[in-house]
Amino acid sequence: MGLFGWLKEEIDAVFQRDPAARNVLEVIFCYPGFHAIVGHRIHHFLYKHKVYFLARLLSQINRFFTGIEIHPGAKIGRRLFIDHGMGVVIGETTEIGDDVTIYQGVTLGGTGKEKGKRHPTIGNNVMIGAGATVLGSFKVGDNVKIGAGAVVHREVPPNTTVVGVPGKVVLQDGVRVGPDLNHTNLPDPVGNMLSCLQKRCEDMEQRLETLERSHPHADLQHADKN
């Protein structure tokens, strides 16, 4: 694919996943995620040819203007869409597949100071919600949704949803077609657990009230024995 074909593909990805995009000029001049990706292609080319200092310098300049930090060593697939993008960090050994959507504040980072592969591998058609953190050299499978604010530190199987801190997997039925951006209605296992505990406390309080009405002098008798 030539340069213009690639640019058209990246612009089309913005229109497909952002209803606020009105025209091509707006995408080219006003979308920092688009700027970051275009810049990264240049930085990654230099990095692969071992022009490390210039690649890092240009990536830092790009970071200054976009608020998005992508290490030039990261491998990024086609049609990546970074929405808003401020605070996004993508580490050196990160690998990202095709048709991935990343929202603001996402970190794809490493753990510790080990050498070699230390950042995550993201599959195809993955959505990573705002403020999510993915740490480690594991794989996130295809068609995965990671909820806003989730912290993921272990492998995620395909066709699942991850929410919470630490991230918990909720299995999904079937594979969605096309990008699914409805990340405001993801399951909340922690919230569900707290709701169950609240319901049990209410049931116990009702039972206790019933026992007290049935035995109004039970507490006094117990007090006399002591």
Side-chain angles (χ1 to χ4, degrees):
M1 178 181 296
L3 174 61
F4 290 104
W6 172 79
L7 286 173
K8 181 180 183 303
E9 187 176 69
E10 296 295 335
I11 292 171
D12 288 342
V14 175
F15 282 114
Q16 291 171 6
R17 284 174 266 181
D18 187 1
R22 294 180 177 84
N23 54 66
V24 173
L25 286 179
E26 185 177 22
V27 173
I28 293 175
F29 289 102
C30 302
Y31 274 69
F34 177 76
H35 303 156
I37 294 168
V38 172
H40 175 72
R41 302 300 183 189
I42 300 171
H43 313 153
H44 186 63
F45 175 83
L46 295 172
Y47 190 86
K48 287 196 302 182
H49 288 80
K50 299 184 179 181
V51 189
Y52 298 126
F53 175 76
L54 182 59
R56 287 302 305 273
L57 178 62
L58 292 176
S59 71
Q60 290 301 300
I61 293 173
N62 200 12
R63 172 180 178 267
F64 176 81
F65 284 105
T66 65
I68 299 169
E69 181 174 343
I70 307 177
H71 193 285
K75 298 177 182 178
I76 296 178
R78 298 164 62 182
R79 298 178 297 276
L80 170 65
F81 176 53
I82 303 177
D83 195 11
H84 299 290
M86 180 63 70
V88 167
V89 178
I90 300 176
E92 178 184 12
T93 60
T94 301
E95 299 179 37
I96 299 176
D98 299 333
D99 301 303
V100 173
T101 302
I102 296 176
Y103 289 87
Q104 67 272 15
V106 166
T107 298
L108 304 180
T111 55
K113 298 181 179 180
E114 68 275 13
K115 299 292 184 180
K117 177 69 171 160
R118 60 190 184 280
H119 299 94
T121 297
I122 309 297
N124 300 319
N125 198 32
V126 173
M127 188 283 294
I128 307 178
T133 303
V134 185
L135 301 176
S137 59
F138 52 85
K139 180 175 177 56
V140 175
D142 297 342
N143 308 306
V144 166
K145 288 196 294 186
I146 298 177
V151 177
V152 182
H153 53 77
R154 64 183 63 182
E155 185 165 336
V156 180
N159 309 315
T160 58
T161 296
V162 178
V163 297
V165 182
K168 297 177 177 60
V169 173
V170 179
L171 295 179
Q172 303 265 300
D173 293 328
V175 179
R176 66 178 182 266
V177 178
D180 185 350
L181 307 182
N182 187 19
H183 62 115
T184 59
N185 297 317
L186 298 179
D188 184 3
V190 176
N192 293 339
M193 180 184 67
L194 292 176
S195 296
C196 291
L197 288 174
Q198 181 179 7
K199 180 65 168 57
R200 292 194 64 181
C201 288
E202 292 173 352
D203 292 342
M204 291 177 66
E205 288 176 352
Q206 291 177 358
R207 293 181 62 185
L208 182 59
E209 290 177 0
T210 302
L211 288 173
E212 288 177 344
R213 287 195 297 268
S214 302
H215 303 82
H217 303 297
D219 289 341
L220 292 175
Q221 293 175 358
H222 181 71
D224 291 342
K225 290 180 180 179
N226 293 333

